[in-house]
Amino acid sequence: LYWMAKKSPDRIRAFLLDEAKTHLQGSADLKHFQPKYGPWEQRLCLAPDGDFFTAIREKKASVVTGEIKEFDEQGIVMETGERVDADIIVTATGFNLHDNFPMNDIQTDIDGVPYDSPGAILHRGTMVADVPNFAFTLGYINASWSLRLELQCKFMCRVLHEMDARRMTICVPQLGDDVQEGDEPLPVSSGYVLRSAHRLPKQGNRDPWQAHQNVFADGRILTGGSLDDGLVFTVAGPPPSRL
């Protein structure tokens, strides 16, 4: 569905609206199910067994889509003037990403130069160019978050086993002359991503300097492929002794 939405967003939008109309059975105005962004420009929520629509049909829940004008003592006032009365309001949007991803609050210097995320390029979506012995996890925006995490952990184990086999103590991704700056790692238009876009690292323009929103493509570069493509193994000081 994700790739179909990217290729034919209008067709998928029409399909989703038709499905919503069928399940709502006239219990809600369809305008509230038509956000201004296209399908999968932001994360798409699934409703197993249609329980979400059942709650709306039974008047146990409702949906209002729009922009908030203000809060008052009764609840929320929308820009359209529509009111949403509420006893409790849970603010579940508007958060911001860390501004030095993926180090975040970790103060990191590389040979005396402070790490600065906008100038960084990610390797396999798991390591960072010129940063030795460091890996992180970043899940999917179009599938279970943990699917990629499992692949990334397998990749990290590959690297550790290779370091042990070569008796090396350092593994660092290094850019080749043929690698250029590519896209950002989070291909969505969610507000928290757009607000931090200028501070996010980039991907490269070819594998293995890219992470894909596709478990099969990621599996190919994380669990297979040569580790010497983009990674440099070295030793600091005497090689580790074997027990």
Side-chain angles (χ1 to χ4, degrees):
L1 185 60
Y2 173 80
W3 297 109
M4 292 175 65
K6 290 295 185 181
K7 184 177 181 180
S8 305
D10 292 339
R11 180 178 298 179
I12 297 302
R13 180 192 288 272
F15 166 75
L16 293 174
L17 282 174
D18 187 60
E19 287 292 302
K21 182 178 180 180
T22 299
H23 286 284
L24 288 169
Q25 299 175 10
S27 59
D29 193 329
L30 274 180
K31 71 179 183 179
H32 295 301
F33 295 82
Q34 301 185 58
K36 60 185 179 181
Y37 52 86
W40 274 120
E41 287 182 15
Q42 298 189 22
R43 298 193 72 168
L44 189 67
C45 296
L46 304 181
D49 302 320
D51 53 355
F52 170 72
F53 297 101
T54 299
I56 294 176
R57 290 198 306 271
E58 295 177 353
K59 304 301 181 183
K60 296 179 180 178
S62 61
V63 173
V64 176
T65 298
E67 297 183 3
I68 295 174
K69 179 181 179 181
E70 61 183 357
F71 296 88
D72 64 16
E73 60 273 15
Q74 276 79 44
I76 298 171
V77 181
M78 307 298 290
E79 287 287 355
T80 60
E82 186 176 2
R83 296 195 53 84
V84 181
D85 294 333
D87 297 319
I88 298 175
I89 298 172
V90 179
T91 55
T93 186
F95 71 92
N96 294 311
L97 297 173
H98 282 281
D99 64 1
N100 205 30
F101 183 87
M103 303 305 178
N104 303 332
D105 293 330
I106 304 173
Q107 298 298 315
T108 305
D109 290 347
I110 310 299
D111 294 331
V113 179
Y115 171 82
D116 191 35
S117 56
I121 294 183
L122 305 182
H123 177 83
R124 287 178 165 96
T126 307
M127 300 181 76
V128 185
D130 299 324
V131 180
N133 294 357
F134 176 82
F136 66 97
T137 58
L138 180 67
Y140 289 116
I141 57 93
N142 65 346
S144 172
W145 189 260
S146 59
L147 278 177
R148 183 189 279 160
L149 271 58
E150 181 178 358
L151 294 174
Q152 289 175 310
C153 289
K154 289 181 177 179
F155 168 72
M156 295 173 200
C157 289
R158 287 181 66 203
V159 171
L160 291 172
H161 286 308
E162 191 69 17
M163 292 174 70
D164 182 64
R166 300 187 188 189
R167 303 185 67 193
M168 297 294 178
T169 58
I170 296 174
C171 176
V172 56
Q174 289 190 352
L175 294 165
D177 294 335
D178 62 332
V179 180
Q180 305 297 321
E181 185 178 288
D183 297 328
E184 295 168 356
L186 295 173
V188 289
S189 64
S190 303
Y192 67 92
V193 174
L194 296 182
R195 286 192 296 273
S196 301
H198 66 293
R199 292 294 308 167
L200 289 174
K202 300 294 189 296
Q203 303 189 89
N205 62 335
R206 69 164 180 86
D207 287 340
W209 293 91
Q210 294 178 318
H212 305 275
Q213 296 299 320
N214 183 306
V215 66
F216 300 106
D218 280 333
R220 176 173 52 81
I221 65 170
L222 287 168
T223 64
S226 172
L227 291 178
D228 289 312
D229 188 357
L231 295 180
V232 175
F233 296 88
T234 59
V235 61
S241 61
R242 291 187 180 275
L243 298 178

